[in-house]
C-alpha cells in the first residue's frame, strides 16, 4: 500500500502533522522533492519538532525514512538536523537513508538565491533563501554535485574547486559575494564523512520495500500552487510539488500508487510574494494575534485568507486527490461568518479554473459562498458527530464544492487532536 500525501495549497497545510498521524499505519516515509525550504511541524506530547529534510516518520521509532533523489540536500543543514535529533534521543542509524543521486545545495547556491532576490527589487519571489532554485538550476544544467560525490573526498575537492571558479566569475559580474573553496572543501568533506553511512540507492530500496508488501507514505513538501509547472509561476518553488513529482522524485513507479491524500488547511496561507485572490488581512491579523501562522522555516508571518475552491479544484484535478485531510479547523472557531471562493470574476467573465497568466490571477476577484460560523471551541472534539452543526455544514459544503470526501479532520497541532470520518 503506497500513499502519497500532497499539499493542496501554497504549503504549510499541516503535512508534517498528518504524516505523523498516518505513520502509525506505515512502515516507511519518503521525502521526494524540495529541500530545507520545507518546515514540517510535529508535536509528540509536550515536544515540538520542526523537520526540514528528514521525513516526519523519524519520530516513530519503527519507521524507516528515505530522502529520495528528487530532493536537494544542504549536507551541512542535514547533518545539523540529524545531530539535533540525536541530542533529543531519536535514533537515525539504520533507519534513515539518503539518495546518492540527490543534488547538493552548495554555499554559492545560497549566494545566488539571495543575490537574485536582492537584485529583483519589486519583483522578488520571497524565497526561503536556502539556495533551492539555483540548485535545481544546476541540476537541469547538468553541472550539479550529488550526494554520492560526498563519498569520494578527492573527487569532491576537485569538483568544488572547478565549480567555485565558474560561479565566482558570475558573482563578480553581478557584484555579489564570492565564495572560497578551501572553507567549502573542509565543511563538505566533514559533512560527507558524517552522512556517508546513510547514503545509498533509495529508489532500489523503495522498490524492495514495495515488493515485500511494506506500506510506504510519500511526504510531499510545499504545495500544489508552488509547483514549478502548475503553480502560480514565477511565484513558485523549483520542484514538482504535485503527486507525480513524488513518483519521479523517489523512483516509485506510477502504477504502484494506491492512494493520494490532499492536505488542506481550513483557510489559506501563503509565505512570500505572489497573487493570492482570497487574501484577507483581517483574518491574518486574527490568526497572528493568536500566535499562529508564522513560518516554520523562516519565522516570517504568513499571509492568510479564505479557502479558495477554484484553486483547490485545480489541485484535485492535477494531483488526482482521492481524499482530503483538513487541518486547522479550530483556526475558524471564533468567526461569525466564513467565506469560500467558488469562482473568480475577471473582466466581466466568470472563471472556475485559475488563469495561467500571473497578471490575470492578480486581477481576479473571488466570488464567495458564505457559511455561518460555529463560534465555539473545537479543539477538544474527537469525532465528526460532536462537531457543532455549522462546522459540519462547512465541511459538507466543501466536500460538495470539491467533489472529494474529507476523511481526516485536525482540530489542533497534537496527534490526539485528529479524527477520521
Ligand atoms: P507543513 O509544512 O505542511 O508540515 O505545515 P507547518 O508545520 O509549516 O505549518 C502548520 C502549522 O499548523 C504548524 O504550526 C502545526 O503545528 C500547526 N497545525 C497543524 N494542524 C493543526 C490544527 O489542526 N490546529 C492547529 N491549531 N494547528 C495545527
Ligand atoms: P512546506 O513543505 C510554504 C515558498 C517560499 C517562496 C517560494 C519559493 O513547509 O509546506 P524557495 O525557497 O522554495 O525557492 O521559495 O516558495 N516556499 C514555501 N512556502 N511552505 C513551504 O514548505 C515552502 N517552501 C517554499 O516562501 O514563496
Ligand atoms: Mg511548513
Amino acid at each position: 500500500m503506497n500513499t502519497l500525501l500532497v499539499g493542496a495549497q501554497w504549503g504549510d497545510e499541516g503535512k508534517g502533522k498528518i504524516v505523523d498521524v498516518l505513520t502509525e499505519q506505515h512502515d516507511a516515509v519518503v521525502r521526494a522533492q524540495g529541500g530545507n525550504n520545507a518546515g514540517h511541524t510535529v508535536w509528540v506530547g509536550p515536544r515540538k519538532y520542526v523537520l526540514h529534510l528528514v521525513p516526519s516518520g523519524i519520530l516513530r521509532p519503527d519507521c524507516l525514512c528515505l530522502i529520495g533523489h528528487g530532493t536537494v540536500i544542504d549536507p551541512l543543514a542535514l547533518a545539523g538536523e540529524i545531530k539535533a535529533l540525536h541530542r533529543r534521543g531519536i535514533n537515525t542509524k539504520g533507519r534513515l537513508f539518503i539518495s546518492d543521486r540527490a543534488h547538493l545545495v552548495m554555499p554559492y547556491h545560497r549566494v545566488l538565491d539571495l543575490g537574485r532576490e536582492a537584485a529583483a527589487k519589486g519583483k522578488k519571489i520571497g524565497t526561503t533563501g536556502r539556495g533551492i532554485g539555483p540548485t535545481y538550476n544546476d541540476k537541469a544544467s547538468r553541472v550539479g554535485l550529488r550526494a554520492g560525490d560526498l563519498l569520494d573526498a578527492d573527487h569532491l575537492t576537485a569538483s568544488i574547486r572547478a565549480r567555485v571558479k565558474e560561479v565566482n566569475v558570475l558573482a563578480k559580474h553581478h557584484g555579489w559575494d564570492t565564495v572560497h573553496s578551501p572553507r567549502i572543501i573542509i565543511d563538505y568533506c566533514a559533512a560527507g564523512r558524517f552522512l556517508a553511512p546513510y547514503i545509498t540507492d533509495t529508489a532500489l530500496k523503495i522498490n524492495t520495500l514495495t515488493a515485500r508488501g511494506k506500506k510506504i507514505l510519500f511526504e510531499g513538501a510545499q504545495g500544489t500552487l508552488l509547483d514549478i509547472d502548475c503553480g502560480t509561476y514565477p511565484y513558485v518553488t523549483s520542484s514538482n510539488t504535485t503527486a507525480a513529482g513524488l513518483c519521479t522524485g523517489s523512483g516509485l513507479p506510477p502504477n504502484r500508487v494506491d492512494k493520494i491524500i490532499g492536505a488542506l488547511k481550513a483557510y489559506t496561507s501563503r509565505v512570500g510574494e505572489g497573487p493570492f485572490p482570497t487574501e484577507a488581512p483581517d483574518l491574518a491579523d486574527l490568526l497572528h494575534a493568536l500566535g499562529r501562522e508564522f513560518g516554520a522555516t523562516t519565522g516570517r508571518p504568513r499571509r492568510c485568507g479564505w479557502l479558495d475552491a477554484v484553486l483547490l479544484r485545480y489541485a484535485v484535478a492535477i494531483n488526482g486527490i482521492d481524499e482530503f485531510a483538513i487541518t486547522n479547523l479550530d483556526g475558524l472557531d471564533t468567526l461569525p461568518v466564513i467565506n469560500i471562493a467558488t469562482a473568480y470574476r475577471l473582466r466581466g467573465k466568470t472563471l472556475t479554473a485559475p488563469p495561467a497568466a500571473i497578471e490575470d490571477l492578480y486581477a481576479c476577484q473571488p466570488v464567495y459562498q458564505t457559511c455561518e460560523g460555529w463560534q465555539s471551541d473545537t479543539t477538544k472534539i474527537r469525532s465528526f458527530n460532536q462537531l457543532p452543526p455549522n462546522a459540519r455544514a462547512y465541511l459538507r459544503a466543501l466536500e460538495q464544492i470539491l467533489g472529494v470526501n474529507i476523511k481526516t479532520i485536525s482540530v489542533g497541532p497534537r496527534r490526539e487532536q485528529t479524527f477520521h470520518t
Side-chain angles (χ1 to χ4, degrees), residues 11-18 38-43 48 50 56 219-220 222 263 265 267 292-297 302 326-331 379 409-414 417:
D12 303 327
E13 295 90 350
K15 298 176 293 294
K17 178 200 158 157
I18 298 297
H40 296 180
T41 314
V42 182
W43 284 85
K48 180 184 174 183
V50 180
S56 301
E219 173 178 6
Q222 290 82 51
K265 208 177 246 181
Y267 44 90
R292 300 168 72 131
E293 299 307 336
F294 292 92
T297 297
R302 295 175 182 149
I326 193 164
T327 69
N328 286 277
L329 189 67
D330 54 305
T379 58
I409 299 170
S410 168
V411 290
R414 292 163 200 281
Q417 292 175 300

Side-chain angles (χ1 to χ4, degrees), residues 99-122:
S99 171
D100 46 11
R101 290 159 172 84
H103 276 249
L104 297 178
V105 180
M106 307 298 292
Y108 46 80
H109 292 133
R110 281 193 303 277
V111 171
L112 290 175
D113 192 359
L114 297 170
R116 279 181 189 146
E117 284 283 271
K121 298 211 172 72

Side-chain angles (χ1 to χ4, degrees), residues 112-193:
L112 290 175
D113 192 359
L114 297 170
R116 279 181 189 146
E117 284 283 271
K121 298 211 172 72
K123 287 202 165 163
K124 70 182 172 101
I125 289 165
T127 72
T128 58
R130 299 294 189 270
I132 305 299
T135 306
Y136 278 114
N137 199 0
D138 275 7
K139 173 180 175 175
S141 300
R142 292 153 296 178
V143 293
L145 276 75
R146 306 196 294 179
D149 295 326
L150 292 171
L151 301 174
D152 178 342
D154 291 340
H155 164 73
L156 180 67
T157 302
S159 304
I160 292 173
R161 280 208 186 107
R163 195 68 194 117
V164 163
K165 219 183 221 177
E166 288 172 354
V167 170
N168 278 345
V169 172
L170 187 72
K172 273 186 199 144
H173 172 76
H174 287 288
W176 300 337
D177 293 343
T178 51
V179 289
H180 306 284
S181 37
R183 183 73 253 164
I184 303 175
I185 290 165
I186 291 168
D187 289 345
Y188 276 61
C189 285
R193 285 191 296 277

Side-chain angles (χ1 to χ4, degrees), residues 55 113 142 200 212 282 300 337 388:
D113 192 359
R142 292 153 296 178
T200 186
R212 287 194 194 139
D282 289 353
R300 290 178 289 179
V337 168

Side-chain angles (χ1 to χ4, degrees), residues 232-248:
T232 50
Y233 191 89
Y235 299 97
V236 292
T237 191
S238 300
S239 65
N240 282 117
T241 60
T242 39
L246 293 179
C247 288
T248 57

